[in-house]
Each structure stands twice: as structure tokens, then as C-alpha cells.
Amino acid sequence: MKSTLTINSANSTPPSKGMFGKLPVAPAYRVVFDTIEKLVMTGKLKPGDILPTETELAERFDINRSTLREGIRLLEQNGLVVRGAAKRLTVSVPHIVDLTSRISNALILHDVTFRELWETYIILEPALAKLAAENATEEIIKKLEDNLESMIACGEDADCFNKLDYEFHDLVAEAACNRPMLIARQPISILMMPAAHAILPRLNTYDRVIVAHRKILDAIRAHDQSEASEWMHKHTTDFKRGYESLGFDAGEHLVNSGFDASAGIKPQA
Amino acid sequence: MKSTLTINSANSTPPSKGMFGKLPVAPAYRVVFDTIEKLVMTGKLKPGDILPTETELAERFDINRSTLREGIRLLEQNGLVVRGAAKRLTVSVPHIVDLTSRISNALILHDVTFRELWETYIILEPALAKLAAENATEEIIKKLEDNLESMIACGEDADCFNKLDYEFHDLVAEAACNRPMLIARQPISILMMPAAHAILPRLNTYDRVIVAHRKILDAIRAHDQSEASEWMHKHTTDFKRGYESLGFDAGEHLVNSGFDASAGIKPQA
DNA sequence: GTTGTACAATTGTCGGACAATGAATGGTGC
DNA sequence: GCACCATTCATTGTCCGACAATTGTACAAC
């Protein structure tokens, strides 16, 4: 951190280099991004606002349109602007799904282990179930009921079952009305999907899953927070037990769950 | 989800709209992004690999350099490439801090409430303390000790104290060796900072904080997981009590904690 | 009111160009 | 031979101008 710097250190290197670590002269396209990002974050630009055309923006910033466009790409990737109906740039709010898929990609690249995912999941899922029992609306309870019915109708069609299982937990998370926790859970859920797909057909846990889901749903409907939390805890622990009884090592990397895992879901981007 | 769609629904809307959701004809710069992203995610490009020059890449993709550069910007903002030492593009893995600051920005724009932050925080912090008690290395315990000493030496310098408080919790989270949880915690921690700054000098809770930190540190050092978890729970609850006793409403929006909150930290990006 | 058409605006893409800057190279002195 | 310096070169950041494709708009026709 070079906490102590003396100006008069005329011993080794000329003072023009070495100290004064390069002051942040950002390329123009980055300045464009920073500027507009700040405008959005400070509320001077609100979601839904339509930006001027590229030509006009370039004129105002006094840069070339190509350069401006590079800045726009940064904003676009950040989800702060989208090219709206009329192709015009409109200010937007980053979608949760964009964030979560980005996070899961990053976790994959960081070689996250199943142990880490699991440790977090076993914390979040019961907490979300508890909050769901507190906050669930009639509407979402209806969706949960539909989900459970479909799952029963599913029989032992593993693909169908897994999809509905994933959806059930997603709905519970949504019912909790807590976005930070939702964002934390989603990437983990995505990354654990391959494991879920591997477990179900080999261990034949269909019945156990349905029983657990029903208990959880009942608890949510009854606003019984501790019951919801406890059953979700059991249910999630079951999942880990299944994982381990298949001979997987929880410390093992998940690298090759790979790209399709994150790209496979993206429900309605 | 429009699960059932019949072709012959010639009743209301013409079939050319409504169904056939826009087929994915992506602009070239986006194809560049998708292509290279996939190469990274599938491991065909590994972190540290140096990409060809812009001119060469443009030639290979058979597009103009300007167009290619727009694609590069998308990758850059995603953290998948950085312009390395020699200005050459280098494949990289997204830094955690980039993710977390993006998440906190998104949460701000989504008008997240203190209630949501709190509900998540009270779950994560004890869990992290528990894991820290399990996994903390000597090295990080040393850092925690240093932090506690500095905090005591800090006296009632609120700025110094808050900074060290923030750092302490960061260190505990780091000690837990769990990146999903780390990523989940960090944005919340960032967003709650303004609240922490408001509470401390007005309620004079310096002593209570130090006592709690010492208890937590002792528990981590002794690998006493439940003790670490419990004290962290108390400590975090204290924080909320402070927040409420200042008359804030937990359901209140945090919009105007605004931009500086997220930009203020960024330790060493 | 709906349909169709002509026109204008805007974006996506292209080709070429150049200054600044870091890297590589080669010459020079010891 | 090795260290040091100047030159050359490659590459990026930026600019300019241009054009096809697409889309919004205005207006005419039914």
C-alpha cells in the first residue's frame, strides 16, 4: 500500500516515475459509461427514460459515435440500458436473472466447490421458507399448489420432475419477498441443478420429495414459520445425503457442470 | 408460460404477432461476445491466455474492427477479459468486487428495503462466523487480532472505527472460505454502511462493538462454532436495535444511500 | 378504421486513417 | 559481455465518413 511516501526521495528513481502511480486517465468510452452510470444511480436518469440518439449523444459528449457506442456497450452489458422497442436506448434496471447468471458463471470460473454451495444453500433455503411462511401471498400459494399437483401428475418422468422441483424452490424463494436472498440463492440453485438431475433417477426419491414439498407448502399456507423452515431444512439435507450416497465428494470442483448449466435455465430473460 | 399453443387460433390476433417471439437475430458485436464467452466458459480459453490483437480477431471473425471492439467492451464489462500489461487483451475471471458492486447497484435501483437487507444479514453473518470458526487460518486470525487492536486504539474516532468495523466483518467472511456466501454478504454489507455510520456516533456503542468483536474473535480462535455464531447473532441484532432506536423504519427504501455508498469502498479493485 | 406506401430517422456495420504509447530492436559506451 | 539509450514497430484509442437495413411516421387509398 506504500503508506509512507516522501516527496524528497531523490535517491534511486527519478521522481517522475515510481511514485505517482499512474493517475486514472480512463479511455473516453469508459468515461461515457461512468458518466451515464452515475446519472442513473443518482436518479437523474430514471428507468424508462429514453436516451438521445447516438449521434446526438456523441455530439453532446463531443466524441465520435464509434467511441460513444463502445461506452453504450458497457452500459448495455451492465443492464442499465436496453435497446427498447424503437431501437432507442432506454434506461433500465438490471434484471435479476442477468445478475444471477453472471454470478453463477463467475462461480464456475472460480472453481467453486459443492461444499461451498451446500453450506450456503442449507442456510438460505430454510430461511427463505420461513420468510415465505411469513409473507406468501394467496397468488403465489396457488402457484405452489399447482406446482405440487403437476409434480404428482408427473409420475417418474425425471426431467419433468426435476423441472418442477426446481420451480418449486424458486417459487418458495419468490414468496419470501426478499431480493438479496433471492439473488444469493439463484446462482446456487442453478449450479446444483446437474447434481439434482443425477440424484433423482438413481435414488428414486420421488416420494420423499413430494412429501417434503407438501409439508413445506402446508406450513407456508398456515404461516407456520418454524415448520416451514424445519421441513425445508430436512428436505435440503436429504438432497445432500443423496449427493453423497452417490459417491460424490463434496469438496470436488464443479467446473464441468460448465456452460450449459447456466445457460440452460434462463427462464424468460 | 403459454404451454398450449394451437396454430389454428384464427380468432383474435393474427398469428404473425404474439406467437413467434422474436427469433434471435443478434447483432454481430453480440455474437462476438457470446462466442468468446462460451470459449472461456468451456475452458477453451483459460484465464491468463492472451487474445490475438484486435486487428487479427476482426480478420478471423471477418468483421470490422469497430464492431469487434464493441464486442470486446461487453466482455470487458463482464470481467472476462482485461487489458493486461502490454495492453493486450488477457482472459480473466470476474473479480468478486466487480460482482458485488454490481449487485449492490442493482439492489439500489430495485429500491431494496432495509428489512430485506437485514433479514438476509442476520442469516448470513452468524453462518459465516460459524464457518470462520471452522475454517479460519492462523494468518487470518492474526489479521483479526490486528484489527481488534487497531479498533481499541481507535478510541472514538467514528470514521476510523467504522472502517475497522467494516473490515472486521469482511475478515470474518473471508475466514469462512465460502465464496457464494461471501458474494451474498458483500453487497448487503456495502449497502448497510451508511446506516452503520449513522448509528455509531449517535448511540455511542463503541464498547459494545469491541466486546462483541472480542468474543467473536475468541470463539473463532478456539474453533468454537456455536459460540462464534451466537455472538455474531447478538452483535448483528444489536446493530438492528441501534438502527431502529434511531427512529428509522426498516421497511424504508434505501435509494439515497445512493451512489457513493457503493463507490466508496471498492478496496483494491 | 384499417391497410398500404413513401419518406425520414436511426442503428449496425464498414473501411480507412492517425496520434499516443508501450514493446521490441538495435546501436553505443564501458 | 552487459548496461543504457534511441529508434522502430505494433497496437490501441479515437476519429471521420459512409451506407444498407430496419423501423417510426405521415399520408393516401380502401
Side-chain angles (χ1 to χ4, degrees), chain A residues 33-50:
Chain A
F33 169 74
D34 290 336
T35 304
I36 298 186
E37 183 197 39
K38 191 159 295 187
L39 287 176
V40 175
M41 291 307 299
T42 56
K44 295 194 181 73
L45 282 174
K46 279 187 267 301
D49 287 357
I50 295 182

Side-chain angles (χ1 to χ4, degrees), chain B residues 33-71:
Chain B
F33 169 74
D34 291 337
T35 304
I36 297 186
E37 182 199 38
K38 191 159 294 188
L39 287 177
V40 175
M41 291 307 299
T42 56
K44 295 194 181 73
L45 283 174
K46 280 186 268 302
D49 287 358
I50 295 181
L51 291 180
T53 66
E54 295 181 352
T55 320
E56 188 175 340
L57 271 178
E59 280 174 6
R60 290 207 211 166
F61 285 132
D62 194 30
I63 57 174
N64 190 274
R65 192 163 77 95
S66 306
T67 307
L68 176 97
R69 281 174 63 85
E70 295 190 29

Side-chain angles (χ1 to χ4, degrees), chain B residues 137-149:
Chain B
T137 62
E138 290 303 323
E139 181 189 10
I140 204 151
I141 289 177
K142 181 69 172 58
K143 284 188 190 172
L144 284 166
E145 288 166 349
D146 290 348
N147 175 281
L148 186 56
E149 275 182 35

Side-chain angles (χ1 to χ4, degrees), chain A residues 167-178:
Chain A
E167 185 184 292
F168 181 87
H169 289 263
D170 235 30
L171 286 170
V172 172
E174 188 186 335
C177 299
N178 185 301

Side-chain angles (χ1 to χ4, degrees), chain B residues 2 5 14-25:
Chain B
K2 305 193 177 207
L5 277 181
S16 57
K17 285 205 181 290
M19 53 180 28
F20 306 135
K22 57 167 178 279
L23 43 155
V25 51

Side-chain angles (χ1 to χ4, degrees), chain B residues 148 151 165 168-169 209-217 235:
Chain B
L148 186 56
M151 188 172 241
D165 182 31
F168 181 87
H169 289 262
V209 170
I210 287 179
V211 168
H213 282 201
R214 174 172 290 130
K215 288 285 190 182
I216 293 166
L217 172 53
H235 180 44

Side-chain angles (χ1 to χ4, degrees), chain B residues 1 11 22 24-25 73 91-92 106 124 129 214 230 262 269:
Chain B
M1 283 266 212
N11 41 11
K22 57 167 178 279
V25 51
R73 293 302 150 251
V91 179
S92 169
L124 291 178
R214 174 172 290 130
E230 279 168 28
S262 56

Side-chain angles (χ1 to χ4, degrees), chain B residues 222-241:
Chain B
H223 297 294
D224 185 338
Q225 299 183 27
S226 58
E227 178 83 356
S229 174
E230 279 168 28
W231 268 100
M232 184 61 95
H233 190 277
K234 281 186 210 172
H235 180 44
T236 312
T237 305
D238 257 7
F239 174 65
K240 190 196 186 191
R241 205 162 15 232

